[in-house]
Protein backbone atom coordinates (compact mmCIF):
# COMPACT_ATOMS: atom_id res chain seq x y z
CA UNK A 1 0.00 0.00 0.00
CA UNK A 2 1.49 3.38 -0.96
CA UNK A 3 2.32 5.48 2.08
CA UNK A 4 2.06 9.20 2.67
CA UNK A 5 5.48 10.15 1.20
CA UNK A 6 4.69 8.20 -1.97
CA UNK A 7 1.36 9.95 -2.39
CA UNK A 8 2.99 13.31 -1.71
CA UNK A 9 5.64 12.51 -4.31
CA UNK A 10 2.91 11.66 -6.83
CA UNK A 11 1.15 14.94 -6.03
CA UNK A 12 4.34 16.92 -6.61
CA UNK A 13 4.95 15.09 -9.86
CA UNK A 14 1.45 15.66 -11.22
CA UNK A 15 1.03 19.28 -10.09
CA UNK A 16 3.05 21.01 -12.85
CA UNK A 17 0.99 19.29 -15.54
CA UNK A 18 -2.44 19.34 -13.89
CA UNK A 19 -2.68 22.60 -11.93
CA UNK A 20 -4.25 25.30 -14.06
CA UNK A 21 -5.05 22.89 -16.90
CA UNK A 22 -8.48 22.43 -18.45
CA UNK A 23 -9.78 18.92 -17.83
CA UNK A 24 -11.18 18.52 -21.32
CA UNK A 25 -12.52 15.00 -20.76
CA UNK A 26 -12.36 12.24 -18.17
CA UNK A 27 -12.32 8.91 -19.99
CA UNK A 28 -13.49 5.95 -17.89
CA UNK A 29 -12.62 2.58 -19.38
CA UNK A 30 -14.66 0.59 -16.88
CA UNK A 31 -17.58 1.39 -14.55
CA UNK A 32 -15.69 0.78 -11.33
CA UNK A 33 -12.40 0.34 -9.54
CA UNK A 34 -12.60 -0.81 -5.92
CA UNK A 35 -15.96 0.95 -5.85
CA UNK A 36 -18.21 2.14 -8.70
CA UNK A 37 -17.46 5.63 -9.96
CA UNK A 38 -19.96 8.27 -8.78
CA UNK A 39 -22.98 8.74 -11.03
CA UNK A 40 -22.18 11.02 -13.98
CA UNK A 41 -18.56 11.26 -12.82
CA UNK A 42 -17.11 11.91 -16.27
CA UNK A 43 -19.73 14.49 -17.24
CA UNK A 44 -19.42 16.23 -13.86
CA UNK A 45 -15.66 16.82 -14.10
CA UNK A 46 -15.16 17.23 -17.85
CA UNK A 47 -14.80 20.80 -19.09
CA UNK A 48 -13.66 22.06 -15.68
CA UNK A 49 -10.36 23.76 -14.88
CA UNK A 50 -8.10 22.18 -12.26
CA UNK A 51 -7.39 24.69 -9.50
CA UNK A 52 -4.92 22.76 -7.34
CA UNK A 53 -3.67 19.38 -6.16
CA UNK A 54 -3.39 18.58 -2.46
CA UNK A 55 -3.10 15.60 -0.15
CA UNK A 56 -4.82 14.47 3.05
CA UNK A 57 -3.38 11.33 4.65
CA UNK A 58 -2.98 8.90 1.71
CA UNK A 59 -5.62 10.59 -0.47
CA UNK A 60 -4.79 12.70 -3.52
CA UNK A 61 -7.24 15.60 -3.93
CA UNK A 62 -7.82 17.40 -7.24
CA UNK A 63 -9.72 20.66 -6.75
CA UNK A 64 -11.84 21.84 -9.68
CA UNK A 65 -13.36 25.20 -10.49
CA UNK A 66 -16.80 25.41 -8.96
CA UNK A 67 -15.88 23.79 -5.65
CA UNK A 68 -15.83 20.08 -6.48
CA UNK A 69 -12.91 17.83 -5.50
CA UNK A 70 -11.83 14.58 -7.14
CA UNK A 71 -10.64 12.26 -4.36
CA UNK A 72 -8.23 9.56 -5.53
CA UNK A 73 -6.70 6.68 -3.59
CA UNK A 74 -3.98 4.52 -5.16
CA UNK A 75 -4.96 1.33 -3.35
CA UNK A 76 -2.33 -1.40 -3.55
CA UNK A 77 -1.21 -1.14 -7.16
CA UNK A 78 -2.46 2.18 -8.53
CA UNK A 79 -0.20 4.72 -10.21
CA UNK A 80 -0.39 7.71 -12.53
CA UNK A 81 1.68 8.46 -15.59
CA UNK A 82 1.85 11.59 -17.67
CA UNK A 83 1.91 11.57 -21.46
CA UNK A 84 2.72 14.96 -22.94
CA UNK A 85 4.31 14.98 -26.37
CA UNK A 86 7.44 12.81 -26.37
CA UNK A 87 8.13 13.26 -22.65
CA UNK A 88 6.38 10.50 -20.66
CA UNK A 89 6.82 10.44 -16.89
CA UNK A 90 5.59 8.32 -14.01
CA UNK A 91 5.64 10.24 -10.72
CA UNK A 92 6.52 8.03 -7.78
CA UNK A 93 8.73 4.97 -8.07
CA UNK A 94 7.31 2.82 -5.30
CA UNK A 95 9.01 0.34 -2.97
CA UNK A 96 6.86 -2.32 -4.64
CA UNK A 97 6.85 -1.91 -8.47
CA UNK A 98 3.82 -0.40 -10.20
CA UNK A 99 2.21 -1.89 -13.30
CA UNK A 100 2.66 -0.34 -16.75
CA UNK A 101 0.51 -2.67 -18.90
CA UNK A 102 -1.91 -0.47 -20.87
CA UNK A 103 -4.73 -2.98 -20.41
CA UNK A 104 -4.85 -1.74 -16.81
CA UNK A 105 -5.26 1.92 -17.84
CA UNK A 106 -8.69 2.53 -16.31
CA UNK A 107 -8.98 6.34 -16.18
CA UNK A 108 -7.53 8.91 -18.58
CA UNK A 109 -7.70 12.63 -17.87
CA UNK A 110 -7.38 14.49 -21.17
CA UNK A 111 -5.92 17.92 -20.38
CA UNK A 112 -5.12 21.16 -22.12
CA UNK A 113 -2.54 23.01 -20.05
CA UNK A 114 0.07 25.72 -20.29
CA UNK A 115 2.33 23.48 -22.35
CA UNK A 116 -0.42 22.12 -24.57
CA UNK A 117 -2.36 18.85 -24.60
CA UNK A 118 -1.48 16.08 -22.14
CA UNK A 119 -2.93 12.87 -20.81
CA UNK A 120 -2.76 11.79 -17.16
CA UNK A 121 -3.44 8.07 -16.98
CA UNK A 122 -4.44 6.07 -13.92
CA UNK A 123 -3.23 2.45 -14.10
CA UNK A 124 -4.30 -0.12 -11.49
CA UNK A 125 -3.81 -3.86 -12.14
CA UNK A 126 -5.48 -4.98 -8.90
CA UNK A 127 -8.19 -2.28 -9.03
CA UNK A 128 -8.00 -1.67 -5.29
CA UNK A 129 -7.78 2.08 -5.74
CA UNK A 130 -10.80 4.30 -6.17
CA UNK A 131 -12.02 7.77 -7.10
CA UNK A 132 -14.84 9.83 -5.66
CA UNK A 133 -16.26 13.32 -6.13
CA UNK A 134 -17.16 15.64 -3.24
CA UNK A 135 -17.75 19.28 -2.41
CA UNK A 136 -14.76 21.08 -0.96
CA UNK A 137 -16.88 22.98 1.59
CA UNK A 138 -18.08 19.70 3.10
CA UNK A 139 -14.84 17.75 2.92
CA UNK A 140 -14.23 17.69 6.69
CA UNK A 141 -17.44 15.70 7.15
CA UNK A 142 -16.81 13.33 4.23
CA UNK A 143 -16.77 9.65 5.20
CA UNK A 144 -13.11 9.32 4.13
CA UNK A 145 -11.91 12.25 6.24
CA UNK A 146 -14.16 12.86 9.22
CA UNK A 147 -12.39 10.40 11.54
CA UNK A 148 -8.80 11.02 10.47
CA UNK A 149 -6.23 12.00 13.08
CA UNK A 150 -3.41 14.50 12.87
CA UNK A 151 -1.07 14.63 9.89
CA UNK A 152 2.49 13.53 10.73
CA UNK A 153 3.86 16.56 8.87
CA UNK A 154 2.36 19.40 10.88
CA UNK A 155 3.01 21.01 14.24
CA UNK A 156 -0.25 19.58 15.61
CA UNK A 157 1.43 16.18 15.94
CA UNK A 158 3.37 16.56 19.16
CA UNK A 159 4.11 14.41 22.21
CA UNK A 160 1.22 15.93 24.19
CA UNK A 161 -1.25 14.95 21.45
CA UNK A 162 0.03 11.36 21.31
CA UNK A 163 0.02 11.16 25.11
CA UNK A 164 -3.70 12.02 25.12
CA UNK A 165 -4.42 9.35 22.49
CA UNK A 166 -2.16 6.67 23.99
CA UNK A 167 -3.15 7.05 27.65
CA UNK A 168 -4.51 3.78 29.04
CA UNK A 169 -3.98 1.84 25.81
CA UNK A 170 -2.73 -1.73 26.22
CA UNK A 171 -2.42 -2.34 22.47
CA UNK A 172 1.09 -2.42 20.98
CA UNK A 173 2.47 0.98 20.02
CA UNK A 174 2.90 -0.29 16.45
CA UNK A 175 -0.84 -0.95 16.18
CA UNK A 176 -1.70 2.40 17.78
CA UNK A 177 0.44 4.27 15.25
CA UNK A 178 -1.25 2.49 12.35
CA UNK A 179 -4.66 3.63 13.59
CA UNK A 180 -5.59 6.35 11.09
CA UNK A 181 -7.84 7.94 13.72
CA UNK A 182 -4.69 8.81 15.66
CA UNK A 183 -2.12 9.63 12.96
CA UNK A 184 -3.41 10.08 9.42
CA UNK A 185 -1.38 8.62 6.59
CA UNK A 186 1.26 6.84 8.66
CA UNK A 187 1.78 3.34 7.29
CA UNK A 188 3.70 0.17 8.03
CA UNK A 189 7.08 1.08 6.54
CA UNK A 190 7.50 4.39 8.31
CA UNK A 191 6.09 3.15 11.62
CA UNK A 192 8.86 0.53 11.59
CA UNK A 193 11.43 3.17 10.71
CA UNK A 194 10.24 5.64 13.38
CA UNK A 195 10.18 3.01 16.12
CA UNK A 196 13.72 1.99 15.19
CA UNK A 197 14.94 5.59 15.28
CA UNK A 198 13.39 6.11 18.73
CA UNK A 199 14.63 2.72 20.04
CA UNK A 200 11.15 1.55 21.02
CA UNK A 201 9.89 -2.01 20.66
CA UNK A 202 6.85 -2.29 18.36
CA UNK A 203 5.27 -4.64 20.91
CA UNK A 204 5.50 -2.18 23.80
CA UNK A 205 2.05 -1.12 25.11
CA UNK A 206 1.20 2.35 23.85
CA UNK A 207 0.04 3.38 27.32
CA UNK A 208 3.46 2.62 28.79
CA UNK A 209 4.77 5.75 27.06
CA UNK A 210 2.48 7.97 29.16
CA UNK A 211 3.04 8.70 32.87
CA UNK A 212 0.38 8.67 35.61
CA UNK A 213 -0.28 12.39 35.13
CA UNK A 214 -1.03 11.83 31.44
CA UNK A 215 2.23 13.39 30.30
CA UNK A 216 4.47 11.99 27.58
CA UNK A 217 7.49 10.05 28.78
CA UNK A 218 10.84 10.70 27.11
CA UNK A 219 10.36 7.70 24.81
CA UNK A 220 7.16 9.21 23.42
CA UNK A 221 8.88 12.55 22.91
CA UNK A 222 11.58 10.75 20.93
CA UNK A 223 9.00 8.78 18.96
CA UNK A 224 7.07 11.91 18.00
CA UNK A 225 10.24 13.54 16.72
CA UNK A 226 11.22 10.36 14.86
CA UNK A 227 7.83 10.18 13.12
CA UNK A 228 8.10 13.73 11.88
CA UNK A 229 11.72 13.31 10.81
CA UNK A 230 11.28 10.04 8.93
CA UNK A 231 8.29 11.38 7.00
CA UNK A 232 10.10 14.64 6.27
CA UNK A 233 13.20 12.73 5.10
CA UNK A 234 11.12 10.53 2.80
CA UNK A 235 9.25 13.47 1.29
CA UNK A 236 12.49 15.41 0.84
CA UNK A 237 14.11 12.42 -0.86
CA UNK A 238 11.12 12.06 -3.15
CA UNK A 239 11.18 15.75 -3.94
CA UNK A 240 14.85 15.78 -4.83
CA UNK A 241 14.49 12.64 -6.92
CA UNK A 242 11.67 14.22 -8.87
CA UNK A 243 13.98 17.06 -9.79
CA UNK A 244 17.37 15.40 -10.05
CA UNK A 245 17.09 11.69 -10.74
CA UNK A 246 14.95 11.16 -13.82
CA UNK A 247 15.66 7.64 -15.06
CA UNK A 248 16.41 6.64 -18.64
CA UNK A 249 12.83 5.54 -19.28
CA UNK A 250 11.49 8.91 -18.13
CA UNK A 251 10.15 7.64 -14.82
CA UNK A 252 10.76 9.66 -11.68
CA UNK A 253 12.60 8.22 -8.71
CA UNK A 254 11.24 7.91 -5.18
CA UNK A 255 12.97 7.78 -1.78
CA UNK A 256 16.41 6.86 -3.06
CA UNK A 257 17.98 6.06 0.29
CA UNK A 258 17.55 2.54 1.62
CA UNK A 259 15.46 1.75 4.67
CA UNK A 260 17.23 1.36 8.01
CA UNK A 261 15.17 -1.56 9.31
CA UNK A 262 12.17 -2.27 7.09
CA UNK A 263 12.50 -5.45 4.99
CA UNK A 264 15.98 -6.17 6.46
CA UNK A 265 15.27 -9.34 8.42
CA UNK A 266 18.48 -11.14 9.39
CA UNK A 267 20.75 -8.17 8.67
CA UNK A 268 22.93 -6.43 11.24
CA UNK A 269 21.29 -3.43 12.90
CA UNK A 270 22.53 -0.19 11.37
CA UNK A 271 22.61 1.69 14.66
CA UNK A 272 26.25 2.43 15.57
CA UNK A 273 27.47 0.23 18.42
CA UNK A 274 24.35 -1.96 18.55
CA UNK A 275 25.44 -5.16 16.81
CA UNK A 276 21.94 -6.65 16.98
CA UNK A 277 20.14 -8.53 14.21
CA UNK A 278 16.97 -7.25 12.59
CA UNK A 279 14.01 -9.53 13.30
CA UNK A 280 10.59 -9.86 11.74
CA UNK A 281 7.38 -10.41 13.68
CA UNK A 282 3.73 -10.10 12.67
CA UNK A 283 1.25 -7.63 14.15
CA UNK A 284 -2.35 -7.98 12.93
CA UNK A 285 -1.18 -9.65 9.74
CA UNK A 286 1.45 -6.99 8.97
CA UNK A 287 5.19 -7.66 8.89
CA UNK A 288 7.06 -5.69 11.53
CA UNK A 289 10.83 -5.25 11.36
CA UNK A 290 12.84 -4.21 14.43
CA UNK A 291 16.04 -4.78 16.36
CA UNK A 292 15.39 -6.72 19.60
CA UNK A 293 18.68 -5.49 21.06
CA UNK A 294 18.30 -1.73 20.85
CA UNK A 295 14.49 -1.38 20.69
CA UNK A 296 12.98 -1.79 24.17
Amino acid sequence: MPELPEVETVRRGLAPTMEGALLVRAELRRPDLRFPFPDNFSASVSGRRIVSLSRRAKYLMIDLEGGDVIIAHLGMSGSFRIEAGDDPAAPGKFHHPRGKDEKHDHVIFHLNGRSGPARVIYNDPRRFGFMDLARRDGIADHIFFRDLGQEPTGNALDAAYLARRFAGKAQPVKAALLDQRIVAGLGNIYVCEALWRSELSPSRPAGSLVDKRGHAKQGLVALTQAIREVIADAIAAGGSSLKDHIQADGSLGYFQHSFSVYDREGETCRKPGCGGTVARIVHAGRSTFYCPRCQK
Side-chain angles (χ1 to χ4, degrees):
M1 188 76 73
E3 298 203 24
L4 184 156
E6 293 170 314
V7 180
E8 177 61 19
T9 300
V10 170
R11 184 197 70 78
R12 293 181 183 189
L14 293 175
T17 297
M18 298 190 75
E19 289 185 339
L22 179 68
L23 203 173
V24 177
R25 179 167 62 96
E27 177 185 347
L28 308 183
R29 293 187 168 182
R30 56 178 301 111
D32 58 8
L33 293 169
R34 181 178 177 183
F35 311 120
F37 288 101
D39 293 341
N40 302 314
F41 179 78
S42 179
S44 298
V45 304
S46 297
R48 311 272 290 277
R49 193 163 298 278
I50 297 171
V51 177
S52 64
L53 270 67
S54 59
R55 178 199 54 76
R56 173 72 165 115
K58 301 177 187 179
Y59 296 94
L60 178 69
M61 305 173 73
I62 304 169
D63 277 84
L64 306 175
E65 278 185 336
D68 285 333
V69 185
I70 298 172
I71 303 167
H73 194 287
L74 299 177
M76 300 182 72
S77 63
S79 62
F80 285 95
R81 72 177 187 273
I82 301 166
E83 292 184 355
D86 297 324
D87 186 26
K93 186 185 179 197
F94 299 94
H95 182 62
H96 300 290
R98 307 282 98 177
K100 294 183 178 180
D101 193 329
E102 292 186 3
K103 71 182 180 183
H104 301 304
D105 292 348
H106 302 311
V107 181
I108 302 177
F109 294 127
H110 297 266
L111 308 177
N112 191 3
R114 291 184 294 270
S115 301
R119 302 198 311 164
V120 172
I121 300 165
Y122 178 72
N123 180 287
D124 193 349
R126 299 181 69 175
R127 298 202 308 274
F128 205 67
F130 54 86
M131 292 188 188
D132 199 3
L133 189 65
R135 295 292 298 173
R136 168 55 75 176
D137 57 12
I139 206 71
D141 296 320
H142 191 281
I143 189 171
F144 295 155
F145 304 108
R146 65 190 180 199
D147 294 324
L148 288 179
Q150 298 290 355
E151 289 275 329
T153 54
N155 292 331
L157 183 70
D158 58 17
Y161 168 77
L162 286 182
R164 291 194 298 272
R165 303 304 302 267
F166 283 4
K169 285 187 178 294
Q171 71 179 147
V173 64
K174 166 81 183 297
L177 289 174
L178 288 175
D179 185 342
Q180 298 298 293
R181 296 169 298 180
I182 297 175
V183 184
L186 195 59
N188 193 40
I189 291 174
Y190 296 108
V191 168
C192 290
E193 293 291 303
L195 287 168
W196 178 82
R197 289 192 185 196
S198 54
E199 300 185 354
L200 293 174
S201 168
S203 300
R204 181 170 176 163
S208 71
L209 296 170
V210 184
D211 67 21
K212 293 180 179 180
R213 299 174 298 166
H215 296 164
K217 293 182 180 179
Q218 186 56 43
L220 186 52
V221 174
L223 175 59
T224 306
Q225 185 67 21
I227 291 169
R228 295 175 63 170
E229 287 178 352
V230 75
I231 293 296
D233 287 350
I235 291 174
S240 65
S241 67
L242 282 173
K243 182 174 64 175
D244 300 328
H245 300 289
I246 298 177
Q247 300 174 12
D249 64 356
S251 64
L252 301 172
Y254 169 69
F255 202 27
Q256 299 299 313
H257 82 265
S258 57
F259 300 117
S260 295
V261 68
Y262 183 81
D263 208 18
R264 292 187 170 276
E265 181 182 8
E267 297 184 21
T268 301
C269 178
R270 291 186 163 188
K271 193 151 291 180
C274 174
T277 301
V278 175
R280 174 185 172 273
I281 56 176
V282 177
H283 280 124
R286 307 291 300 278
S287 291
T288 299
F289 300 91
Y290 78 112
C291 174
R293 177 172 291 184
C294 66
Q295 290 180 245
K296 304 297 182 182

